[in-house]
Amino acid sequence: PEIMKSRVNLEVIRARRVQAAQLPNPEVSVGNWSGKGRSQPWKQTDVTLTQPIELGGKRKNRISLAESEAKESQLDFLVLSA
């Protein structure tokens, strides 16, 4: 049971490595406004697209951490399966 648990943990951590390398998702927001000014009705729609940009090596650090965790998990698996 410990070997199987370790193997599953290894796969989960490998998946985290893939996820860590992904760029943040963009966000879209939409706003609708309407009103009346000087007896003239008006409508306005705003669409905003935001793409986070990671600075300061955040993505690189996240990937490095995930790779370290994967190596540690792989060693745990190898020790248990030996």
Side-chain angles (χ1 to χ4, degrees):
E2 287 297 316
I3 293 174
M4 185 59 107
K5 180 180 174 183
S6 180
R7 183 172 183 83
V8 169
N9 188 46
L10 177 60
E11 294 303 318
V12 167
I13 290 178
R14 283 181 178 165
R16 284 187 194 157
R17 177 8 186 132
V18 172
Q19 185 178 11
Q22 300 298 314
L23 295 173
N25 288 330
E27 298 177 8
V28 176
S29 61
V30 178
N32 290 310
W33 291 271
S34 62
K36 192 173 185 180
R38 295 187 184 174
S39 72
Q40 199 69 302
W42 58 271
K43 292 184 179 185
Q44 178 178 334
T45 302
D46 291 338
V47 178
T48 304
L49 175 64
T50 305
Q51 174 65 58
I53 299 173
E54 295 178 312
L55 301 174
K58 287 182 183 179
R59 183 171 178 240
K60 180 182 172 185
N61 292 340
R62 193 173 57 239
I63 292 169
S64 293
L65 177 62
E67 287 174 346
S68 296
E69 289 174 343
K71 287 176 185 175
E72 181 181 350
S73 182
Q74 186 172 12
L75 286 173
D76 289 344
F77 175 72
L78 291 172
V79 167
L80 284 174
S81 62

